[in-house]
Amino acid sequence: MEQNILEIKNLKFEEQPKNTYFNLKVQKNSIHSILFKNDKLKKQLLDFLIGEKVEVEAELNYQGTLLKPSVIKNLYQDQIFLINQYSAVNPDKDPLGIFKFNKKGEGENKSTVFPEMTIAENIFFGREPLKKFLFFKSIDNQKMIEKTAELLELLEVELYPDQKMLELSPLEKQLVELLKTLSCGAEIILIDQAVIELSESEKQIFFDFMQQLKQKGITIIYFTKEIEEVFAVSDFVSVLKEEQNKGTRKVSELEYNELALLLMGK
């Protein structure tokens, strides 16, 4: 019997009708798409999953342990990581300061890229391997480069540990972000429309790497508005509509028109 890594019970969205709740079960080692139309509902669900929505009465069962919303935040950037369309935006290309150059910055548009740093420095920022000499510690750059090279071998695109992030394409930056989550020991990755700016061929490279991550035991919850993306990458899909989960289905047993009706129909 397959194990659920995560289960949401009785999540109530803002302005949701009385006695109407959102429930969700996500199977371990799967790619589970959340298909949605309403950005506001999607944001509320994401906020709950990263512990930003702590005033609700809903519960989250994670790895068999029941957690209250106030505790969920402890999982974020420990076992749960979020990547969205803003994660790999270079702050130096943002003269109006729309994007936050910090994971802990305020606002939802947060870049996690340090453009003048190398790929290796970005992946291991704040977690650099250290070497000791007598009573002193310093960053072990050689070990960091070696570990980064091992991670980069997983990609279809050719990248090098000493390349600066500002030299990379949007696809390459997003792939490096995925490698970062892998190096951190992520168990769940939340991916929110991260391919929205990519070409069809680039999307396929991104989706192929998502499959690799799944094979390494990582569970992915993928938020999208595109039905085609669900069929391209997902094992399961849930339809977020009218403040409810309108149904969780195995994608291999679904027809396109059936899923479209769940999303668009009354």
Side-chain angles (χ1 to χ4, degrees):
M1 186 175 179
E2 297 291 347
Q3 178 186 357
N4 293 325
I5 189 172
L6 180 148
E7 182 176 355
I8 296 173
K9 296 181 178 180
N10 301 327
L11 175 61
K12 195 168 184 64
F13 294 106
E14 295 172 9
E15 302 177 4
Q16 192 165 358
K18 190 175 181 180
N19 299 324
T20 301
Y21 301 96
F22 178 88
N23 298 285
L24 177 71
K25 294 181 180 180
V26 176
Q27 196 174 109
K28 193 171 185 177
N29 297 352
S30 70
I31 299 176
H32 192 125
S33 283
I34 306 294
L35 184 63
F36 71 97
K37 291 193 301 180
N38 188 312
D39 289 287
K40 185 178 179 181
L41 292 181
K42 181 264 299 186
K43 184 180 184 305
Q44 290 181 53
L45 176 54
L46 269 175
D47 284 348
F48 174 74
L49 286 170
I50 65 174
E52 294 292 337
K53 194 175 177 66
V54 298
E55 73 280 3
V56 297
E57 297 180 0
E59 296 173 337
L60 185 141
N61 191 307
Y62 178 77
Q63 298 276 41
T65 301
L66 197 60
L67 304 176
K68 293 291 185 180
S70 57
V71 181
I72 297 172
K73 196 175 183 69
N74 297 335
L75 295 176
Y76 183 45
Q77 295 186 22
D78 187 0
Q79 286 89 25
I80 297 177
F81 287 78
L82 170 64
I83 293 176
N84 61 25
Q85 66 196 85
Y86 307 112
S87 297
V89 171
N90 282 353
D92 61 336
K93 294 183 179 179
D94 178 35
L96 298 180
I98 297 170
F99 303 100
K100 297 293 183 179
F101 182 38
N102 193 313
K103 288 181 183 179
K104 297 180 180 179
E106 295 182 0
E108 61 182 294
N109 303 335
K110 304 170 188 175
S111 174
T112 56
V113 168
F114 296 86
E116 293 292 343
M117 290 186 181
T118 66
I119 291 175
E121 290 167 338
N122 268 267
I123 288 177
F124 289 100
F125 179 76
R127 302 177 296 109
E128 297 87 350
L130 301 176
K131 57 183 177 181
K132 295 181 180 179
F133 179 72
L134 297 177
F135 301 105
F136 302 98
K137 293 181 181 180
S138 62
I139 295 174
D140 191 335
N141 287 297
Q142 184 58 38
K143 187 173 183 180
M144 185 167 66
I145 288 172
E146 289 172 358
K147 286 185 173 182
T148 303
E150 291 176 7
L151 290 169
L152 292 173
E153 287 178 1
L154 300 173
L155 301 180
E156 292 181 35
V157 297
E158 191 170 359
L159 296 174
Y160 302 96
D162 57 354
Q163 279 183 272
K164 286 190 175 182
M165 292 295 290
L166 59 80
E167 300 172 359
L168 307 188
S169 70
L171 168 65
E172 291 166 343
K173 290 189 185 79
Q174 291 288 29
L175 291 174
V176 169
E177 288 299 294
L178 287 176
L179 289 177
K180 185 188 297 183
T181 65
L182 181 61
S183 74
C184 290
E187 295 181 358
I188 295 179
I189 303 176
L190 310 173
I191 301 180
D192 178 21
Q193 302 181 93
V195 301
I196 199 167
E197 302 293 338
L198 304 184
S199 68
E200 291 304 314
S201 59
E202 289 173 329
K203 285 180 183 180
Q204 192 56 57
I205 293 172
F206 190 92
F207 291 157
D208 288 346
F209 192 57
M210 285 172 60
Q211 295 290 348
Q212 281 198 60
L213 293 175
K214 184 183 77 170
Q215 295 304 317
K216 292 183 176 296
I218 294 175
T219 302
I220 296 174
I221 303 178
Y222 183 73
F223 290 81
T224 181
K225 292 182 175 181
E226 305 299 329
I227 295 174
E228 292 82 0
E229 292 179 7
V230 171
F231 285 97
V233 75
S234 311
D235 300 304
F236 299 91
V237 59
S238 296
V239 177
L240 171 57
K241 181 182 174 185
E242 296 170 353
E243 295 85 21
Q244 292 179 293
N245 177 358
K246 289 294 185 178
T248 295
R249 303 288 296 277
K250 196 170 184 178
V251 174
S252 61
E253 298 174 354
L254 263 179
E255 297 290 338
Y256 183 99
N257 291 342
E258 188 178 359
L259 184 55
L261 186 61
L262 275 175
L263 179 65
M264 307 299 293
K266 293 183 178 181

